[in-house]
Amino acid sequence: MRRLSFLPVILMCVFSSAQSSFDTYFNGKRLRMDFALSGNSGMQSAALIRLREEPVWGGPRGNLTDPFGYGGYLLKMYDKAGGGLIYSRGFNTLFEEWRTTDQARNETQAWINSIVMPYPHQPVISVLLAHNRLTNRKDTLMILDIDPSSIFIDRSPLKKNQVVSIQTKGDPSAKVDLVFLAEGYTASEQDKFIADANRFTGALFSIPPFDQCREDFNVYAVVLESEESGTDFSGKGIFKNTVLNAGFYTFGTDRYLTTPDMESIRDAVWNIPCDVIFVLVNSDVYGGGGMYNFYAIGTADNEQTIQVFVHEFGHSFAGLADEYFYTETGYDDFYDIRFEPWEPNITTLVDFDKKWKDLLAAGTPVPTPLDTSYSEGIGVFEGGGYLSKGIYRPMNHCMMRDLKPFCPVCSRAVLRVVDFWSDRKVR
């Protein structure tokens, strides 16, 4: 009892220390880095395009360094004077996926990307690292000396779009700030967009485990007007003039809906708190996409719209992998089974102890046969990550395989990320 009586004091000290650490290094604004990734299947490089000062950092002020190790890229920021790590965040990009396609074997391309970080008081050193598929390590791509007072940092205001607050549950630094962006909605369709964003919000918080954490989210809808309604279908020769340049047939896959235009996405949210982005596309065609700590995207009006939304949100928000293996993709050997993938819901058994081994019932064989004895519980079932052999998933059915409810492994991963963005200790 005596030990427990000190717990509130200890927690207050931890929070005070975290806030003090943030205030020591950062000023509450946001630093945006636009950069180019160029290369092909065999190599890649990075180059700075611009730095921008933006008015609000809505991310956590205590959880400044990434505890997960998710993502193909990692941004680190070091205090230049003291040398200590003061911020880090993992993420994915669409360019990373492109490098695994057949096209990348024959072409070298450059793609513009954009990431954000808290704005520093004093000079810092920023390091961008990228996953090396041959070694399973992260190599340094770019090192930048950043002087926050530099005249070369862009401080010009951008267009102030109409922002509708769907729900406000508290301080952005202690909440997950989810932003819906309108894509393919014309001026006369903005009421539909707001209604769609509200519908998606209600649906998200009706689905476990998100039904446990509605109070942890602030939700905004940003009104963006496109000249034409809908989206591109390049495989059918259909192109629309839309504000975020989204389209189907990414990497030749008809249902894969994405946009390479990260600059326009970041321009749309420049003046609001924003932890996670969902691009809502005004179409009734089945499809979507999602990349960890980058964005997710999906259509508004298909009969499976909500399931696709939550599935893609699982990718972008919680770093969950696809668990299916029976369909065509544009990827060529996306996972190397010699290594353990970073995603929390698939394994090659190379380092299974760090995955969901603790959730297996006693006596569960590894790998687990898909028969009546085990098919309804947590196991280690072969097939996942677009491969039928060598990669294993936790359950027979899941949102990340066939749009069924999240399995316990994926649910735990979601709740851990909610903790992180809510500035709590990650469970």
Side-chain angles (χ1 to χ4, degrees), residues 32-202:
R32 169 177 153 186
M33 179 191 298
D34 294 339
F35 62 101
L37 290 172
S38 63
N40 49 47
S41 62
M43 56 79 66
Q44 67 174 319
S45 61
L48 178 68
I49 296 174
R50 71 180 64 83
L51 296 173
R52 277 189 49 83
E53 178 185 301
E54 296 181 339
V56 56
W57 169 254
R61 297 191 172 207
N63 292 335
L64 291 172
T65 56
D66 192 323
F68 301 114
Y70 298 168
Y73 296 85
L74 178 64
L75 176 73
K76 291 185 174 183
M77 183 189 290
Y78 297 90
D79 175 47
K80 189 173 182 179
L85 178 68
I86 58 175
Y87 177 82
S88 64
R89 195 72 83 244
F91 63 99
N92 283 351
T93 72
L94 193 58
F95 178 77
E96 176 186 13
E97 295 184 19
W98 174 79
R99 292 187 66 227
T100 68
T101 67
D102 287 339
Q103 187 181 37
R105 293 181 176 181
N106 303 309
E107 295 181 11
T108 296
Q109 295 189 4
W111 296 45
I112 297 177
N113 298 271
S114 185
I115 51 176
V116 295
M117 62 205 88
Y119 203 97
H121 284 304
Q122 303 296 332
V124 296
I125 297 173
S126 175
V127 181
L128 179 65
L129 303 102
H131 177 248
N132 185 320
R133 289 171 53 83
L134 297 178
T135 65
N136 201 38
R137 298 176 181 174
K138 285 189 169 66
D139 298 335
T140 299
L141 278 187
M142 181 171 62
I143 300 175
L144 294 176
D145 246 330
I146 300 176
D147 179 356
S149 65
S150 171
I151 64 171
F152 300 111
I153 295 177
D154 186 353
R155 294 175 173 84
S156 58
L158 299 175
K159 180 182 178 181
K160 293 183 178 180
N161 300 295
Q162 179 187 355
V163 179
V164 176
S165 178
I166 294 178
Q167 71 171 44
T168 303
K169 297 296 183 179
D171 184 341
S173 66
K175 302 295 177 184
V176 183
D177 299 303
L178 166 60
V179 179
F180 287 98
L181 298 182
E183 168 67 339
Y185 292 82
T186 62
S188 64
E189 295 172 313
Q190 295 306 314
D191 288 346
K192 179 182 184 301
F193 165 64
I194 299 302
D196 289 342
N198 274 280
R199 174 167 54 92
F200 274 54
T201 300

Side-chain angles (χ1 to χ4, degrees), residues 319-330:
L320 299 175
D322 282 319
E323 295 178 11
Y324 54 78
F325 52 91
Y326 43 76
T327 187
E328 294 182 1
T329 68

Side-chain angles (χ1 to χ4, degrees), residues 191-218:
D191 288 346
K192 179 182 184 301
F193 165 64
I194 299 302
D196 289 342
N198 274 280
R199 174 167 54 92
F200 274 54
T201 300
L204 178 66
F205 297 121
S206 71
I207 295 174
F210 291 102
D211 61 342
Q212 304 176 32
C213 45
R214 183 164 194 155
E215 296 300 311
D216 295 313
F217 281 74
N218 295 328

Side-chain angles (χ1 to χ4, degrees), residues 3 9-10 14 25 33 58 77 85 132 153 180 193 209 244 248 252 287 294 297-298 305 312 315 329 331 339 359 405:
R3 193 175 297 169
V9 176
I10 293 171
V14 170
Y25 296 110
M33 179 191 298
M77 183 189 290
L85 178 68
N132 185 320
I153 295 177
F180 287 98
F193 165 64
L244 298 178
F248 284 92
F294 218 50
I297 185 171
T305 276
E312 302 301 351
H315 289 311
T329 68
Y331 309 133
F339 305 121
L359 297 180

